[in-house]
Amino acid sequence: MRPPRPRPTPSNAPSQVKLNPLFARPGEATELPRTRLPQGESLPETAYQIVHDEAMLDGNARLNLATFVGTWMDDHASRLLVESADKNMIDKDEYPRTAEIETRCWQMLADLWHAPDPEHAIGTSTIGSSEAAMLGGLALKRRWQQARRAAEKPTDRPNLVMSSAVQVCWEKFCNYWDVEARYVPVSEEHPVLDGHSLENYVDENTIGVVAILGVTYTGRYEPVAEIAAALDRIQATTGLDVKIHVDGASGAMVAPFLQPDLVWDFRLERVASINTSGHKYGLVYPGLGWAVWRTTDDLPEDLVFRVSYLGGDMPTFALNFSRPGSQVLLQYYLFLRLGADGYRRVHETSQAVATFLADQIGAMDDFELCSDGTGIPVFAWRLAQRPGRCWELHDLSDRLRMKGWLVPTYPLPDDLADVLVQRVVVRNGFSHDLAQAFLEDLRTEVGYLNALTAPMPSAARQSGFHH
């Protein structure tokens, strides 16, 4: 599914931003151009009020059940955010303690993910897990190129194997870096990439296989150990040694605490790299991602730039350059504040809410569960077959939005694209009380829709949600 194109300002939109006279000072302009830089200055209170009132029209982030991105942090985190927003993360010579804290964070993650020697692994922070995933893909491509050149073989046709349910960042990676995307379709029998028929997709040009720990469509884990075992069998028959990158955008910060015995990480020798989102179940505000490689050998040295920046020598492997250091400090704050026990308790609470909601919704006659929240605290459902129904899930999304709830409706990936589902992401801050309120509104709106004797009038249906 492709992201939407930016929408231009409608031609009939007012050309001026009008300020309520109550907020204007004597002699101050009460109208400002909407799409041009104003000629003069405004008082800070005036500019603040305009921006504040515009942003007020957004949805309530806490009621957004579509997003994985964190929407709540405590007051101490908010203070740190403001205090460190001016730090440029890339200027490690000027902000050496922030750089040191970044290193501590990815070393903690390397240890959490069972790297053989965490102090000699290698990692980096990123803007989000999409950048981290692309860095993982770049490392796979470069290692493959180096091996092919050493064997005097061509390097012009790399491919990457993954489920058709991957997040769109992998489609971007393959597009931007000229890698053939080989999608293994999901099906009712194989709803995730599980190693089935993998030999039909892997060949000598395969730079790696992506395994998803927490598919965004349903929240399911892909069985990384089974994928690794399938690649072991392929190597035994063909000699091809194909590595795995784990896209753990969500699950890599959940599984170590809720499913500690699940083998998905660097305990599997085929796993070369892992990415995650600090701003998802790492519990930090957006945007923060992490990428960690099993050993320094798994990140080709020629991808690491060593540049002189503001008087210091700085190694860097990133697509972005200047960015605030505040999110890295927030991640370290949470690592210290919560520890393993705290993360476990936070995620156990979220999972308890998710499984409660899944049980309640799954028990309703109108729905069938596609997942139940026992992986990451995410679950999805579809409509049960029932003749004479005058509504579909898009109608339910519209009705819930009227109550303030943002619940996405979208089709599953190719080969299951005729199946519409809805999904709820339970994040830190979504309490049992909020879950009860959501459930009451859901039942009310389902009752309203079931009482219809004719279909809801609607425009052409199109999902406003994109993976």
Side-chain angles (χ1 to χ4, degrees):
M1 301 175 67
R2 298 181 182 276
R5 295 184 181 275
R7 292 181 296 176
T9 302
S11 58
N12 60 348
S15 61
Q16 302 287 316
V17 177
K18 295 186 178 181
L19 187 66
N20 188 313
L22 287 175
F23 299 131
R25 277 67 175 175
E28 187 176 16
T30 57
E31 292 188 2
L32 297 172
R34 185 178 296 274
T35 58
R36 291 180 292 107
L37 193 67
Q39 187 63 41
E41 301 178 24
S42 298
L43 291 173
E45 296 88 347
T46 304
Y48 167 82
Q49 193 67 50
I50 291 173
V51 177
H52 171 83
D53 288 355
E54 289 262 13
M56 187 176 64
L57 299 176
D58 284 336
N60 185 331
R62 294 281 295 281
L63 302 185
N64 183 355
L65 304 185
T67 183
F68 285 80
V69 176
T71 54
W72 182 88
M73 294 190 78
D74 64 35
D75 290 341
H76 291 88
S78 298
R79 285 164 53 187
L80 268 176
L81 180 67
V82 172
E83 292 168 1
S84 56
D86 60 341
K87 294 179 185 287
N88 185 358
M89 186 68 231
I90 207 67
D91 185 5
K92 298 183 180 182
D93 184 65
E94 183 69 20
Y95 306 113
R97 302 317 299 172
T98 299
E100 166 64 21
I101 286 171
E102 178 192 28
T103 298
R104 292 178 201 171
C105 285
W106 64 251
Q107 285 181 338
M108 288 179 180
L109 292 173
D111 178 68
L112 187 68
W113 297 335
H114 300 96
D117 184 358
E119 292 190 1
H120 292 87
I122 188 69
T124 185
S125 66
T126 60
I127 288 292
S129 57
S130 292
E131 181 188 2
M134 291 193 189
L135 298 183
L138 280 172
L140 288 175
K141 181 181 179 182
R142 186 59 56 88
R143 290 188 69 223
W144 173 82
Q145 288 174 321
Q146 291 173 349
R148 296 281 290 179
R149 291 187 184 113
E152 298 183 343
K153 294 181 178 179
T155 63
D156 59 334
R157 298 180 62 189
N159 67 70
L160 183 65
V161 176
M162 55 199 141
S163 161
S164 62
V166 291
Q167 211 264 358
V168 70
C169 71
W170 290 104
E171 182 182 348
K172 289 183 178 180
F173 166 76
C174 291
N175 186 353
Y176 295 168
W177 278 280
D178 294 323
V179 174
E180 176 194 354
R182 291 190 174 177
Y183 296 112
V184 180
V186 296
S187 64
E188 295 283 0
E189 297 74 24
H190 301 279
V192 294
L193 181 67
D194 57 10
H196 176 74
S197 301
L198 200 56
E199 66 277 4
N200 297 332
Y201 297 87
V202 170
D203 60 24
E204 64 177 357
N205 292 319
T206 300
I207 65 173
V209 172
V210 175
I212 313 169
L213 202 69
V215 174
T216 58
Y217 289 87
T218 61
R220 291 174 179 263
Y221 289 157
E222 292 187 337
V224 186
E226 292 180 27
I227 296 169
L231 290 172
D232 287 344
R233 294 191 294 270
I234 291 171
Q235 184 175 11
T237 57
T238 67
L240 298 174
D241 182 12
V242 179
K243 298 298 183 182
I244 294 173
H245 174 87
V246 177
D247 183 349
S250 297
M253 288 303 297
V254 173
F257 307 110
L258 297 190
Q259 301 95 13
D261 296 327
L262 180 67
V263 179
W264 63 272
D265 52 16
F266 293 126
R267 285 171 286 185
L268 299 168
E269 291 190 12
R270 286 204 180 272
V271 174
S273 50
I274 301 170
N275 72 272
T276 197
S277 289
H279 63 224
K280 292 181 181 174
Y281 287 103
L283 307 181
V284 176
Y285 283 138
L288 177 68
W290 297 98
V292 178
W293 287 264
R294 178 188 186 85
T295 68
T296 53
D297 292 338
D298 291 295
L299 176 59
E301 177 63 26
D302 59 357
L303 285 177
V304 179
F305 279 78
R306 299 187 179 277
V307 298
S308 176
Y309 187 70
L310 298 181
D313 179 69
M314 180 195 66
T316 176
F317 179 37
L319 304 180
N320 293 286
F321 208 61
S322 296
R323 57 187 175 89
S326 50
Q327 277 78 10
V328 168
L329 298 182
L330 291 178
Q331 185 75 86
Y332 189 55
Y333 163 75
L334 284 176
F335 285 169
L336 298 181
R337 164 73 178 83
L338 294 175
D341 289 342
Y343 267 96
R344 183 177 301 109
R345 288 193 297 111
V346 168
H347 293 335
E348 282 176 346
T349 300
S350 295
Q351 190 175 66
V353 173
T355 54
F356 162 74
L357 279 175
D359 288 344
Q360 295 294 310
I361 293 173
M364 295 173 68
D365 292 338
D366 285 284
F367 303 124
E368 296 174 355
L369 290 179
C370 301
S371 53
D372 60 6
T374 54
I376 57 176
V378 172
F379 66 98
W381 65 89
R382 62 198 287 184
L383 278 177
Q385 294 296 321
R386 195 188 75 194
R389 181 185 285 118
C390 294
W391 58 277
E392 59 180 43
L393 289 177
H394 285 294
D395 298 310
L396 181 55
S397 285
D398 290 343
R399 298 293 303 179
L400 289 171
R401 186 180 287 265
M402 292 170 62
K403 297 289 182 69
W405 303 104
L406 276 67
V407 179
T409 297
Y410 53 87
L412 290 177
D414 292 346
D415 284 24
L416 288 177
D418 59 334
V419 178
L420 280 179
V421 300
Q422 287 184 326
R423 188 200 66 199
V424 161
V425 179
V426 177
R427 303 180 307 281
N428 186 28
F430 188 68
S431 64
H432 276 278
D433 285 344
L434 281 174
Q436 287 282 9
F438 168 69
L439 199 57
E440 290 173 11
D441 286 340
L442 177 71
R443 287 171 173 155
T444 297
E445 298 311 324
V446 169
Y448 171 87
L449 292 169
N450 278 335
L452 295 175
T453 57
M456 293 279 288
S458 60
R461 293 302 190 184
Q462 181 178 354
S463 173
F465 177 77
H466 297 268
H467 286 278

